[in-house]
Amino acid sequence: MSIHLEDHAELLQALPHGAQDVLRASWQEAARALSARGLDNYLKGAQALHHLGRGEELVVSFVQHAPALARAIGEEVLPDLVNFLLSMASKTSGQVLTLIVQTAPAAALRLGDADLFRQYLSVLGVVLAQAPHGLRPMLENLERLLGQLTLGGLRRWVQWGAQAYRGDADGQRRYFGLQSPDALAVLQQERRGTLFVDVQRRLNLYLRALWGRDFFLRPTAGDFESREGLRPYIEHHVIHVPDAYDDLPAVDPAGAPIAALDIYRAAVNHCAAHLVAAREPLPDDGLDALTKAVVELVEDARVETLAAQRFPRLRQLWGAQHPPPVDPPQRAGDLINRLALAWLDADAARRDTDPWVQQGLAALAAWTTWDDPQASLQTGIALAEALRARLDAERWPAFSLRLDGQRALYRDDNRAIWTSGAYDEAQALAATWERQQQVRRKVNVMEMVNEVDVEFAGDDAQEVWILPTEFWLDQEGVTINSLLGRPPLADPVHYPEWDYQIQLQRPDWVTVLERHAPPGDVARIDTLLQEQRPVVQRLRHLIEAMVPQGLQRIRRVEDGDELDVDAAVRAWVDLRMGQQPDPRIMMQHRLHTRDVAVLLLLDLSASANDPVRGSEQTVLDLTRAAATLLAEALQRIGDRFAIHGFRSDGRHDVHYLRIKDFRESWGDGPKARLAGLEGAFSTRLGAALRHAGAQLKRQPQRKKIVFVLTDGEPADVDVRDPQYLRLDAQHAVQELKRDGIVSYCLTLDPLADAYVARIFGARHYTVLDRVQRLPEVLPTLYLGLTR
């Protein structure tokens, strides 16, 4: 199978034209997220949805969002999603099916497991079957629901609403749209304390720091009918933990409850101890339920003792989560849990005088080594026989797995001690959804020359060899990279977009694709600087007049760093003359530095190619001149800056061109890219602002500015409502403001007052009536903003 789009021409041609364009834009991202087989399923899934006949938007959404879904929980769920959509097509509209696809990546990120995602699809099936009018509002509020509920809680919330509002269409819309008191009340009732997805990264880092190795964690849900989740368990060397824990009440009524995060830490450490201390599986042939339960109890004590020898505080963490002992005991489970606590807590061991508990303590005290799991088997069998005799003698109820199991919430179900051996990282990797990483090796020229060429190797090769320098061909006088190489492509980046009609953000609605700016002639920029020499000279004087950087001395202050001798002498003279002296006789030292990062965002839409009225120059020529002069000014000041451009061809293809990056110096490379700019397509300003803000957030400077230079209002080929993109741009500016980024617009549209003030704010824009003054105004305006 191939990962090259050209090799799938037959499947590609079967898609509608809009989906083909989106697929070409998303192929780079899909090829990195999916294997060759996954890409084949990806294309066939898109083709199947196209043949469904529910509109092009469904196919486009699948093409765009499927790679993100695969990255989140694995590519094997893509056929499940497609089959679900096909089965639901006769029961709902294409718009609802599209919404299911668009929200699938967010649901996958919250659930974190392929099996849980399949169960989530079954929950959607329940909604569609019992409350069809509630599916759309539920999907629109899905992020809030999964942010507060486990999958089991979501299922119970759904079932309550479906039964309460059966046959009531308006009631279903209010309930599933979280607009009714009943919906909020049931939501509050089903909320759990801490969701696993919110602490998963912290737990992974915690285990890595503690044990010096990686462990794979997955959530599991078993609380469809009750609020009690499944116990932790280990399967294929992957630790499965409940998808949520509530805080655990303390044993002492006056004590503080045990935080859910501590329960997670106790659970994952207990499972990690099993994986680290496991040697070989224990045989379970001929063992009854009671014997297996006691052997598991002894094995838990063995691995926890080994872990506590390395990390003594774990004993305290585990011991606090055991239930208080039941005295007098009434069934086998009471004694099993008393012995579990006694092995962890020395005080509990001294207080417990039960003969069977003392027998268990003495048995482990006689061990000379804790590294042999067979000792757990032998000791467990002996203790089980003694406990069975106790049950018969005192006529206690027969042993029950449900009633007499271990009651500590953090302990796993111990299936791993009977079925798995030592920890195998390769097998654990294979059991997860992580794809095998491609190996990239640096080799020398002789290794490269002597290696046999693999004719059909492509981007999916297991190994990629890299030379430290480029390989030149003597005859042609060029490098292999220049002849056969392809420029690296960045992954598509998806951003939300604000829809003012529904007052919600459409998640992952816009796709931004970073593209290489084609180089032009550097001499064009040098000639431009020569033509604008008077402006350059004026800017030099403005720069020199700015507040200098470095240490400054401020005189005539009352509280300062040292005495101002001149002021002190004047004050002494005033005293001798009987006058009131000036108390400001000190000096302060202040360090003035410019801590600014600015991103100049150029509008490169097709209107930039239009000539300026009364001039032979185009708008793009003036934009290029202004960017050049601003770059010269910033280079002299020393401020960190970048120059980027944008244009758009629909929401699935917003071009973003990096002309000069923050880490790049102002030289021939950026000048050549600036000289080669051309205008094309439309102006989707909101998406460009969000992407520019993402670049600025990574900069360490305190003050951050996005300077937008445009010649028209936001517009695009797939938007007819003129207010839609204006209000989305306004929302993007507000998002940047919340992140501490200042937005300022310099527009060349003489009619811009009607909309630009609403987008950027009353004092954050300038309308330039005489566009010929643009090269002079832009640098001067920037100097005023950052003075």
Side-chain angles (χ1 to χ4, degrees), residues 406-444:
Q406 298 191 53
R407 296 164 189 162
L409 195 60
Y410 72 88
R411 286 202 168 174
D412 66 315
D413 63 3
N414 281 308
R415 70 180 69 177
I417 71 172
W418 307 106
T419 58
S420 66
Y423 180 78
D424 185 349
E425 185 176 358
Q427 187 174 354
L429 273 170
T432 63
W433 57 75
E434 297 288 341
R435 294 174 58 196
Q436 186 175 2
Q437 296 294 316
Q438 189 179 63
V439 179
R440 304 182 75 86
R441 292 177 51 196
K442 288 187 177 181
V443 299
N444 58 43

Short mmCIF file of all heavy atoms in Angstrom, two decimals, residues 406-444:
data_model
loop_
_atom_site.label_atom_id
_atom_site.label_comp_id
_atom_site.label_asym_id
_atom_site.label_seq_id
_atom_site.Cartn_x
_atom_site.Cartn_y
_atom_site.Cartn_z
N GLN A 406 -11.13 -7.83 47.85
CA GLN A 406 -10.42 -6.72 48.50
C GLN A 406 -11.21 -5.42 48.29
O GLN A 406 -11.69 -5.14 47.21
CB GLN A 406 -9.01 -6.60 47.94
CG GLN A 406 -8.15 -7.84 48.18
CD GLN A 406 -6.70 -7.58 47.86
OE1 GLN A 406 -6.08 -6.63 48.35
NE2 GLN A 406 -6.12 -8.43 47.02
N ARG A 407 -11.31 -4.64 49.37
CA ARG A 407 -12.16 -3.47 49.34
C ARG A 407 -11.39 -2.17 49.16
O ARG A 407 -12.01 -1.11 49.06
CB ARG A 407 -12.97 -3.41 50.65
CG ARG A 407 -13.93 -4.58 50.80
CD ARG A 407 -14.43 -4.75 52.21
NE ARG A 407 -15.17 -6.02 52.36
CZ ARG A 407 -15.42 -6.60 53.52
NH1 ARG A 407 -15.02 -6.02 54.65
NH2 ARG A 407 -16.08 -7.73 53.56
N ALA A 408 -10.07 -2.21 49.18
CA ALA A 408 -9.29 -0.99 48.93
C ALA A 408 -9.53 -0.55 47.50
O ALA A 408 -9.34 -1.33 46.55
CB ALA A 408 -7.82 -1.23 49.19
N LEU A 409 -9.92 0.70 47.33
CA LEU A 409 -10.36 1.19 46.03
C LEU A 409 -9.24 1.17 44.99
O LEU A 409 -9.49 1.02 43.80
CB LEU A 409 -10.92 2.61 46.19
CG LEU A 409 -11.74 3.18 45.03
CD1 LEU A 409 -12.96 2.30 44.77
CD2 LEU A 409 -12.16 4.61 45.34
N TYR A 410 -8.01 1.34 45.43
CA TYR A 410 -6.90 1.50 44.48
C TYR A 410 -6.38 0.18 43.94
O TYR A 410 -5.64 0.16 42.95
CB TYR A 410 -5.75 2.26 45.15
CG TYR A 410 -4.99 1.46 46.18
CD1 TYR A 410 -3.91 0.67 45.82
CD2 TYR A 410 -5.37 1.48 47.52
CE1 TYR A 410 -3.21 -0.06 46.76
CE2 TYR A 410 -4.68 0.76 48.47
CZ TYR A 410 -3.60 -0.02 48.09
OH TYR A 410 -2.92 -0.75 49.02
N ARG A 411 -6.72 -0.96 44.57
CA ARG A 411 -6.11 -2.23 44.17
C ARG A 411 -6.78 -2.79 42.91
O ARG A 411 -7.98 -2.67 42.72
CB ARG A 411 -6.20 -3.23 45.31
CG ARG A 411 -5.21 -2.91 46.43
CD ARG A 411 -4.89 -4.09 47.28
NE ARG A 411 -3.75 -3.82 48.15
CZ ARG A 411 -3.33 -4.64 49.09
NH1 ARG A 411 -3.94 -5.80 49.28
NH2 ARG A 411 -2.27 -4.34 49.83
N ASP A 412 -5.95 -3.43 42.07
CA ASP A 412 -6.45 -3.96 40.80
C ASP A 412 -7.08 -5.33 41.02
O ASP A 412 -7.06 -5.87 42.13
CB ASP A 412 -5.32 -4.04 39.79
CG ASP A 412 -4.27 -5.06 40.19
OD1 ASP A 412 -3.87 -5.09 41.38
OD2 ASP A 412 -3.84 -5.84 39.33
N ASP A 413 -7.62 -5.88 39.93
CA ASP A 413 -8.31 -7.17 40.06
C ASP A 413 -7.36 -8.36 39.93
O ASP A 413 -7.81 -9.52 39.95
CB ASP A 413 -9.43 -7.28 39.02
CG ASP A 413 -8.91 -7.24 37.59
OD1 ASP A 413 -7.68 -7.20 37.39
OD2 ASP A 413 -9.74 -7.24 36.66
N ASN A 414 -6.07 -8.10 39.76
CA ASN A 414 -5.02 -9.13 39.79
C ASN A 414 -5.13 -10.16 38.67
O ASN A 414 -4.51 -11.23 38.77
CB ASN A 414 -5.04 -9.86 41.14
CG ASN A 414 -4.35 -9.07 42.24
OD1 ASN A 414 -3.22 -8.63 42.09
ND2 ASN A 414 -5.07 -8.85 43.34
N ARG A 415 -5.79 -9.84 37.59
CA ARG A 415 -5.80 -10.78 36.48
C ARG A 415 -4.41 -10.95 35.88
O ARG A 415 -4.10 -11.98 35.28
CB ARG A 415 -6.78 -10.31 35.41
CG ARG A 415 -6.35 -9.06 34.66
CD ARG A 415 -7.33 -8.62 33.61
NE ARG A 415 -8.56 -8.11 34.19
CZ ARG A 415 -9.55 -7.62 33.47
NH1 ARG A 415 -9.45 -7.56 32.15
NH2 ARG A 415 -10.64 -7.17 34.06
N ALA A 416 -3.55 -9.93 36.05
CA ALA A 416 -2.24 -9.96 35.39
C ALA A 416 -1.31 -10.98 36.01
O ALA A 416 -0.41 -11.49 35.33
CB ALA A 416 -1.60 -8.57 35.45
N ILE A 417 -1.47 -11.32 37.30
CA ILE A 417 -0.51 -12.24 37.92
C ILE A 417 -0.71 -13.67 37.44
O ILE A 417 0.18 -14.50 37.58
CB ILE A 417 -0.58 -12.17 39.46
CG1 ILE A 417 -1.88 -12.81 39.97
CG2 ILE A 417 -0.46 -10.75 39.95
CD1 ILE A 417 -1.93 -12.95 41.46
N TRP A 418 -1.87 -13.94 36.85
CA TRP A 418 -2.11 -15.28 36.33
C TRP A 418 -1.86 -15.39 34.83
O TRP A 418 -1.73 -16.48 34.31
CB TRP A 418 -3.57 -15.69 36.61
CG TRP A 418 -3.99 -15.56 38.04
CD1 TRP A 418 -4.80 -14.60 38.55
CD2 TRP A 418 -3.61 -16.39 39.12
NE1 TRP A 418 -4.96 -14.79 39.90
CE2 TRP A 418 -4.24 -15.89 40.28
CE3 TRP A 418 -2.80 -17.52 39.24
CZ2 TRP A 418 -4.08 -16.47 41.53
CZ3 TRP A 418 -2.64 -18.11 40.49
CH2 TRP A 418 -3.28 -17.58 41.62
N THR A 419 -1.81 -14.28 34.16
CA THR A 419 -1.78 -14.33 32.69
C THR A 419 -0.59 -13.64 32.06
O THR A 419 -0.41 -13.74 30.84
CB THR A 419 -3.05 -13.68 32.11
OG1 THR A 419 -3.13 -12.34 32.57
CG2 THR A 419 -4.29 -14.44 32.56
N SER A 420 0.21 -12.86 32.79
CA SER A 420 1.28 -12.11 32.15
C SER A 420 2.58 -12.32 32.89
O SER A 420 2.60 -12.68 34.06
CB SER A 420 0.95 -10.61 32.13
OG SER A 420 0.93 -10.11 33.44
N GLY A 421 3.70 -12.09 32.18
CA GLY A 421 5.01 -12.25 32.77
C GLY A 421 5.68 -10.92 32.98
O GLY A 421 5.05 -9.94 33.34
N ALA A 422 6.99 -10.86 32.73
CA ALA A 422 7.75 -9.64 32.97
C ALA A 422 7.34 -8.56 31.98
O ALA A 422 6.78 -8.83 30.91
CB ALA A 422 9.24 -9.92 32.83
N TYR A 423 7.61 -7.34 32.33
CA TYR A 423 7.24 -6.18 31.52
C TYR A 423 8.03 -6.17 30.22
O TYR A 423 9.25 -6.31 30.22
CB TYR A 423 7.49 -4.90 32.31
CG TYR A 423 7.15 -3.64 31.56
CD1 TYR A 423 5.84 -3.23 31.43
CD2 TYR A 423 8.14 -2.86 30.97
CE1 TYR A 423 5.51 -2.07 30.75
CE2 TYR A 423 7.83 -1.71 30.29
CZ TYR A 423 6.50 -1.32 30.19
OH TYR A 423 6.20 -0.18 29.52
N ASP A 424 7.35 -6.05 29.11
CA ASP A 424 7.95 -6.02 27.78
C ASP A 424 7.51 -4.73 27.09
O ASP A 424 6.34 -4.59 26.71
CB ASP A 424 7.51 -7.24 26.97
CG ASP A 424 8.22 -7.32 25.63
OD1 ASP A 424 8.88 -6.33 25.23
OD2 ASP A 424 8.11 -8.36 24.97
N GLU A 425 8.44 -3.77 26.93
CA GLU A 425 8.07 -2.47 26.38
C GLU A 425 7.60 -2.58 24.94
O GLU A 425 6.67 -1.90 24.53
CB GLU A 425 9.25 -1.51 26.48
CG GLU A 425 8.91 -0.10 26.04
CD GLU A 425 10.06 0.87 26.24
OE1 GLU A 425 11.10 0.44 26.76
OE2 GLU A 425 9.91 2.04 25.87
N ALA A 426 8.23 -3.46 24.15
CA ALA A 426 7.82 -3.61 22.76
C ALA A 426 6.40 -4.13 22.65
O ALA A 426 5.59 -3.65 21.84
CB ALA A 426 8.79 -4.55 22.04
N GLN A 427 6.06 -5.11 23.51
CA GLN A 427 4.70 -5.64 23.49
C GLN A 427 3.71 -4.59 23.98
O GLN A 427 2.59 -4.49 23.49
CB GLN A 427 4.62 -6.89 24.35
CG GLN A 427 3.28 -7.60 24.26
CD GLN A 427 3.27 -8.91 25.02
OE1 GLN A 427 4.29 -9.34 25.52
NE2 GLN A 427 2.11 -9.53 25.11
N ALA A 428 4.13 -3.79 24.96
CA ALA A 428 3.25 -2.73 25.45
C ALA A 428 3.00 -1.69 24.37
O ALA A 428 1.89 -1.18 24.22
CB ALA A 428 3.85 -2.07 26.69
N LEU A 429 4.04 -1.36 23.60
CA LEU A 429 3.85 -0.43 22.49
C LEU A 429 2.87 -0.98 21.46
O LEU A 429 2.01 -0.27 20.95
CB LEU A 429 5.20 -0.13 21.83
CG LEU A 429 6.04 0.99 22.42
CD1 LEU A 429 7.42 0.99 21.81
CD2 LEU A 429 5.37 2.33 22.22
N ALA A 430 3.01 -2.28 21.19
CA ALA A 430 2.12 -2.89 20.21
C ALA A 430 0.68 -2.92 20.69
O ALA A 430 -0.26 -2.90 19.90
CB ALA A 430 2.59 -4.31 19.89
N ALA A 431 0.49 -2.96 22.02
CA ALA A 431 -0.86 -3.01 22.58
C ALA A 431 -1.53 -1.66 22.61
O ALA A 431 -2.73 -1.57 22.83
CB ALA A 431 -0.82 -3.59 23.99
N THR A 432 -0.78 -0.59 22.41
CA THR A 432 -1.36 0.74 22.40
C THR A 432 -1.60 1.16 20.97
O THR A 432 -1.26 0.45 20.02
CB THR A 432 -0.42 1.76 23.08
OG1 THR A 432 0.80 1.84 22.32
CG2 THR A 432 -0.10 1.34 24.50
N TRP A 433 -2.20 2.33 20.81
CA TRP A 433 -2.50 2.82 19.46
C TRP A 433 -1.34 3.56 18.84
O TRP A 433 -1.43 4.12 17.77
CB TRP A 433 -3.73 3.73 19.47
CG TRP A 433 -3.62 4.89 20.38
CD1 TRP A 433 -2.90 6.02 20.21
CD2 TRP A 433 -4.24 5.01 21.66
NE1 TRP A 433 -3.04 6.85 21.28
CE2 TRP A 433 -3.87 6.26 22.18
CE3 TRP A 433 -5.11 4.20 22.41
CZ2 TRP A 433 -4.31 6.70 23.42
CZ3 TRP A 433 -5.55 4.65 23.62
CH2 TRP A 433 -5.15 5.88 24.11
N GLU A 434 -0.18 3.64 19.55
CA GLU A 434 0.95 4.37 19.01
C GLU A 434 1.54 3.62 17.83
O GLU A 434 1.81 2.42 17.91
CB GLU A 434 2.04 4.56 20.09
CG GLU A 434 1.57 5.37 21.27
CD GLU A 434 1.42 6.83 20.91
OE1 GLU A 434 2.00 7.25 19.91
OE2 GLU A 434 0.70 7.53 21.63
N ARG A 435 1.77 4.31 16.73
CA ARG A 435 2.42 3.70 15.59
C ARG A 435 3.92 3.65 15.82
O ARG A 435 4.49 4.45 16.56
CB ARG A 435 2.14 4.52 14.33
CG ARG A 435 0.72 4.52 13.87
CD ARG A 435 0.54 5.46 12.71
NE ARG A 435 1.40 5.11 11.61
CZ ARG A 435 1.68 5.93 10.61
NH1 ARG A 435 1.17 7.13 10.58
NH2 ARG A 435 2.49 5.55 9.64
N GLN A 436 4.56 2.65 15.18
CA GLN A 436 6.00 2.55 15.29
C GLN A 436 6.66 3.77 14.67
O GLN A 436 6.33 4.18 13.55
CB GLN A 436 6.48 1.28 14.58
CG GLN A 436 7.98 1.03 14.77
CD GLN A 436 8.39 -0.29 14.17
OE1 GLN A 436 7.58 -0.98 13.59
NE2 GLN A 436 9.67 -0.62 14.29
N GLN A 437 7.57 4.37 15.40
CA GLN A 437 8.18 5.61 14.94
C GLN A 437 9.19 5.34 13.83
O GLN A 437 9.92 4.35 13.84
CB GLN A 437 8.89 6.30 16.12
CG GLN A 437 7.94 6.74 17.21
CD GLN A 437 7.01 7.82 16.71
OE1 GLN A 437 7.41 8.74 16.03
NE2 GLN A 437 5.74 7.69 17.05
N GLN A 438 9.22 6.23 12.88
CA GLN A 438 10.17 6.14 11.80
C GLN A 438 11.56 6.51 12.31
O GLN A 438 11.73 7.47 13.06
CB GLN A 438 9.76 7.08 10.68
CG GLN A 438 10.56 6.92 9.40
CD GLN A 438 10.06 7.88 8.34
OE1 GLN A 438 10.15 9.08 8.51
NE2 GLN A 438 9.54 7.34 7.25
N VAL A 439 12.57 5.72 11.93
CA VAL A 439 13.94 5.94 12.39
C VAL A 439 14.65 6.83 11.38
O VAL A 439 14.63 6.56 10.17
CB VAL A 439 14.69 4.59 12.53
CG1 VAL A 439 16.13 4.83 12.98
CG2 VAL A 439 13.97 3.69 13.53
N ARG A 440 15.30 7.88 11.87
CA ARG A 440 16.07 8.78 11.01
C ARG A 440 17.52 8.72 11.49
O ARG A 440 17.82 9.00 12.65
CB ARG A 440 15.52 10.20 11.08
CG ARG A 440 14.05 10.29 10.74
CD ARG A 440 13.55 11.72 10.77
NE ARG A 440 13.99 12.50 9.63
CZ ARG A 440 13.35 12.52 8.47
NH1 ARG A 440 12.25 11.81 8.30
NH2 ARG A 440 13.80 13.26 7.48
N ARG A 441 18.41 8.34 10.59
CA ARG A 441 19.81 8.15 10.94
C ARG A 441 20.69 9.08 10.12
O ARG A 441 20.43 9.31 8.94
CB ARG A 441 20.24 6.70 10.67
CG ARG A 441 19.62 5.67 11.58
CD ARG A 441 20.07 4.29 11.16
NE ARG A 441 21.52 4.21 11.03
CZ ARG A 441 22.17 3.23 10.39
NH1 ARG A 441 21.49 2.27 9.80
NH2 ARG A 441 23.48 3.24 10.32
N LYS A 442 21.74 9.61 10.75
CA LYS A 442 22.75 10.38 10.04
C LYS A 442 23.89 9.44 9.65
O LYS A 442 24.45 8.75 10.50
CB LYS A 442 23.27 11.52 10.92
CG LYS A 442 22.26 12.64 11.11
CD LYS A 442 22.88 13.83 11.84
CE LYS A 442 21.89 14.96 11.96
NZ LYS A 442 22.46 16.14 12.64
N VAL A 443 24.22 9.42 8.37
CA VAL A 443 25.26 8.53 7.87
C VAL A 443 26.28 9.35 7.09
O VAL A 443 26.04 10.50 6.74
CB VAL A 443 24.65 7.43 6.98
CG1 VAL A 443 23.67 6.57 7.75
CG2 VAL A 443 23.95 8.05 5.77
N ASN A 444 27.44 8.72 6.81
CA ASN A 444 28.44 9.39 6.00
C ASN A 444 28.23 9.05 4.53
O ASN A 444 27.37 8.25 4.17
CB ASN A 444 29.85 9.03 6.46
CG ASN A 444 30.09 7.52 6.41
OD1 ASN A 444 29.71 6.86 5.45
ND2 ASN A 444 30.74 6.99 7.45
#
